[in-house]
Amino acid sequence: MARTPVAGDGPRGGTEVPRGRTRWWRVAALVALPALVLLPALVVFVGIVLGEEDDRGEGGRASERVPCAEVLAFGGAVLPAGARPTGGCTVQGFQDIHYSAAFRMPRTGVQDWLIHTYPDAPEPGAEFCAGEAADLCLDLSHARGLPDGVEADAVQVRVVHEEAGAALVRFTAFTL
């Protein structure tokens, strides 16, 4: 049973303290409801922000270093004579696989290597680069010059001519 304050018991010496009519549970519910609605959006936002800093691809798996021969074989090619890998050759993905490699080779051998590797492909040229920072580009698919038996659905080759007669070749092969 609640005690009724009497004169002299109150905080100001004899005045009765009125009891408020505020229903605090209603205020708490009004504050908590938007928080519960916005919490999933916050979780998704944090996941996107943290995911951009991660080295995971669309498939959700981190890229892994693999031998450059594996990358090129997936796209139906072999490392050309005189080529030197520049950094890591990688694979990433889960359902869709994305292989990438970069290597330097003599500039004079690039056209011959591409023609020997992909004999049915259109001639590579700068017109296929579409504003990319490359001097020579080649985009292949099974409908456009990719040989039968190649695991990749598409292959992209980007060549940048460097000083001293060298060429930087960026090779990607992937499934769709």
Side-chain angles (χ1 to χ4, degrees), residues 133-175:
D135 297 305
L136 184 73
C137 297
L138 182 61
D139 293 330
L140 301 170
S141 66
H142 286 289
R144 189 167 187 253
L146 203 55
D148 291 334
V150 173
E151 292 180 71
D153 293 325
V155 171
Q156 294 178 334
V157 181
R158 303 294 184 256
V159 180
V160 176
H161 296 153
E162 296 181 325
E163 297 177 12
L168 174 64
V169 179
R170 289 189 178 90
F171 182 94
T172 57
F174 49 92
T175 59

Side-chain angles (χ1 to χ4, degrees), residues 41-106:
L42 179 65
V43 169
V44 169
F45 176 74
V46 168
I48 289 171
V49 169
L50 293 179
E52 288 176 358
E53 295 175 7
D54 198 356
D55 63 348
R56 297 175 190 271
E58 289 182 26
R61 293 181 57 191
S63 57
E64 301 172 21
R65 289 188 178 266
V66 294
C68 291
E70 180 180 330
V71 173
L72 292 161
F74 186 76
V78 295
L79 198 62
R84 299 176 322 274
T86 62
C89 295
T90 60
V91 61
Q92 79 182 78
F94 175 64
Q95 292 176 337
D96 295 329
I97 306 296
H98 183 93
Y99 280 91
S100 63
F103 54 90
R104 285 191 170 81
M105 65 179 292

Side-chain angles (χ1 to χ4, degrees), residues 16-20:
E16 187 174 321
V17 178
R19 183 169 182 211

